[in-house]
Amino acid sequence: MSQSIPPNQIRPPSETRGDVGSEKKPLPFQARGQLATAIVLVVLVGGIAWYSLQRDTERTEDAYVDGNVVQVTSQIGGTVTAFAADNTDHVKAGTLLVTLNPVDQEVRFERAKAELAKATRVARTQYSQVQQLRAEVVQRKNDVLKTRADLARRSTLASSGAVSREEVSHAEDVLKNAEAMLSAVNQSLEQRLAMVDGTNLRTHPDVLTAATNLRDAYIARSRTSILSPVDGTVTKRSVQLGQRINPGVALMSVVPMDELWVNANFKESQLEHLRIGQPAEVTTDVYGRNVVYHGKIVGMDAGTGSAFALLPAQNATGNWIKVTQRVPIRIALDSKEIAKQPLRVGLSMRVSVRTTDRSGEMIRKDVAPNFVYKTQVYDQELRDADAIVEAVIRANEGQTPMAEK
């Protein structure tokens, strides 16, 4: 049963809420008007600022990190005997990645060295033959002069009857034979000169051909060691031990982590004020909105994404539904910021571009200098090959007489 409260213990409502004098007095009408005016002004100024910011800014979340995916391929065929890097490994330019069986290329290289030595010695023989034939030409000319003088003397004596006509006839035959021998030797000299005239040992056609074959064999031998063309992270490794590969087959890829950019896909309705060179701010879900990357627009693609799709849309057939198209915009990032906060190819990005400055171009008229990319790993291949060619020629040239022009 509930207990009843005595009447003398019941407090009036005013006492339960405190004294009437302690309640807040309502603001005067004038003060309330001023507060409302201030609030309206703050909202109005904020709205104008927000509108100005939105009008001069284009945003999209349809943006992704992109980069150079450098394929590592073999320039010769062969069997894989080892690979020295796998996915997620970081490699330097020139690092050995894959090794092919070098036996076939070693045999080819030694054969090419022997062929160059042989060509050098054959060329030496040709130069010596030219000198020999020139000496023989001098000898045959002397023979002609001698027989011609002998014939003239005998002809003089024949008029006085001291020499018979038969001896004169024999002298004439000897002169004809000497002139024929001189002509034959001159022809042989011309043939030999055709092989060596205007050349020396190192510019002889046969020596040049053999030297080129040796360079080719040397380069093929060196290419049994497949090097990384750039600094970066290994990905997409597909090569396996013992695999027989053909030239041009992709073995793995290397992604340079310091050469990344953003492809932002803006709607066609957002392109009006976008210009090359405008600054951009980029954030990613990896580090949150507090980490901001700074970049700039360096180019706009030549068409929409659907225009270059594998199966472009056929809008001329069937029922047509308008779909807003997007154009890829390339945004270069600050390499120092990427080094501090690394990114990965394919990450989603949020892009905000300030379009206040609209003096830039919409279409590039030159090549963006920030994206010139090359490797120097293969620059020294021929230097060592030339040294080997010179060593082989020097070992076989001897004292080579040079052909006169």
Side-chain angles (χ1 to χ4, degrees), residues 36-52:
T37 302
I39 293 174
V40 171
L41 289 176
V42 169
V43 172
L44 182 61
V45 171
I48 294 174
W50 180 85
Y51 175 76
S52 300

Coordinates of all heavy atoms in Angstrom, one line a residue, residues 36-52:
A36 N 19.9 38.3 -34.2 CA 19.4 37.7 -35.4 C 20.1 38.3 -36.6 O 20.4 37.6 -37.6 CB 17.9 37.9 -35.5
T37 N 20.3 39.6 -36.6 CA 21.0 40.2 -37.7 C 22.4 39.7 -37.9 O 22.9 39.5 -39.0 CB 21.0 41.8 -37.5 OG1 19.6 42.2 -37.4 CG2 21.6 42.5 -38.7
A38 N 23.1 39.6 -36.7 CA 24.5 39.1 -36.8 C 24.5 37.7 -37.3 O 25.4 37.3 -38.1 CB 25.1 39.1 -35.4
I39 N 23.6 36.8 -36.9 CA 23.5 35.5 -37.4 C 23.3 35.4 -38.9 O 23.9 34.7 -39.7 CB 22.5 34.7 -36.7 CG1 22.9 34.5 -35.2 CG2 22.3 33.3 -37.3 CD1 21.8 33.8 -34.3
V40 N 22.4 36.3 -39.4 CA 22.1 36.3 -40.8 C 23.3 36.8 -41.6 O 23.6 36.2 -42.7 CB 20.9 37.2 -41.1 CG1 20.7 37.5 -42.6 CG2 19.6 36.6 -40.5
L41 N 24.0 37.8 -41.0 CA 25.2 38.3 -41.7 C 26.3 37.2 -41.8 O 27.0 37.0 -42.8 CB 25.8 39.5 -41.0 CG 24.9 40.8 -41.2 CD1 25.5 41.9 -40.3 CD2 24.8 41.2 -42.6
V42 N 26.5 36.5 -40.7 CA 27.5 35.4 -40.7 C 27.2 34.3 -41.7 O 28.0 33.9 -42.5 CB 27.7 34.8 -39.3 CG1 28.5 33.5 -39.3 CG2 28.3 35.8 -38.4
V43 N 25.9 34.0 -41.7 CA 25.5 32.9 -42.7 C 25.6 33.5 -44.1 O 26.0 32.7 -45.0 CB 24.0 32.5 -42.4 CG1 23.5 31.6 -43.5 CG2 23.9 31.8 -41.1
L44 N 25.3 34.7 -44.3 CA 25.4 35.3 -45.7 C 26.8 35.4 -46.2 O 27.1 35.0 -47.3 CB 24.7 36.7 -45.7 CG 24.7 37.4 -47.1 CD1 23.9 36.6 -48.1 CD2 24.2 38.8 -46.9
V45 N 27.7 35.8 -45.3 CA 29.2 35.9 -45.6 C 29.7 34.5 -45.9 O 30.5 34.3 -46.9 CB 29.9 36.6 -44.5 CG1 31.5 36.5 -44.8 CG2 29.5 38.1 -44.5
G46 N 29.3 33.6 -45.0 CA 29.8 32.2 -45.2 C 29.3 31.6 -46.5 O 30.0 30.9 -47.2
G47 N 28.0 31.9 -46.8 CA 27.5 31.4 -48.1 C 28.1 32.0 -49.3 O 28.4 31.3 -50.3
I48 N 28.4 33.3 -49.2 CA 29.1 34.0 -50.4 C 30.5 33.4 -50.5 O 31.0 33.1 -51.7 CB 29.2 35.5 -50.2 CG1 27.8 36.1 -50.2 CG2 30.1 36.1 -51.2 CD1 27.7 37.5 -49.9
A49 N 31.2 33.2 -49.4 CA 32.6 32.6 -49.5 C 32.5 31.2 -50.0 O 33.4 30.8 -50.9 CB 33.2 32.7 -48.1
W50 N 31.6 30.4 -49.5 CA 31.5 29.0 -50.0 C 31.1 29.0 -51.5 O 31.7 28.2 -52.2 CB 30.4 28.3 -49.2 CG 30.2 26.9 -49.6 CD1 30.9 25.8 -49.2 CD2 29.2 26.4 -50.5 NE1 30.4 24.7 -49.8 CE2 29.4 25.0 -50.6 CE3 28.2 27.0 -51.3 CZ2 28.6 24.2 -51.5 CZ3 27.4 26.3 -52.1 CH2 27.6 24.9 -52.2
Y51 N 30.2 29.9 -51.9 CA 29.9 29.9 -53.3 C 31.1 30.3 -54.2 O 31.3 29.7 -55.3 CB 28.7 30.9 -53.6 CG 28.4 31.1 -55.0 CD1 27.6 30.2 -55.7 CD2 28.8 32.3 -55.7 CE1 27.3 30.3 -57.0 CE2 28.5 32.4 -57.0 CZ 27.7 31.5 -57.7 OH 27.4 31.6 -59.0
S52 N 31.9 31.3 -53.8 CA 33.0 31.7 -54.5 C 34.1 30.6 -54.6 O 34.7 30.4 -55.6 CB 33.7 33.0 -53.9 OG 32.7 34.0 -53.8

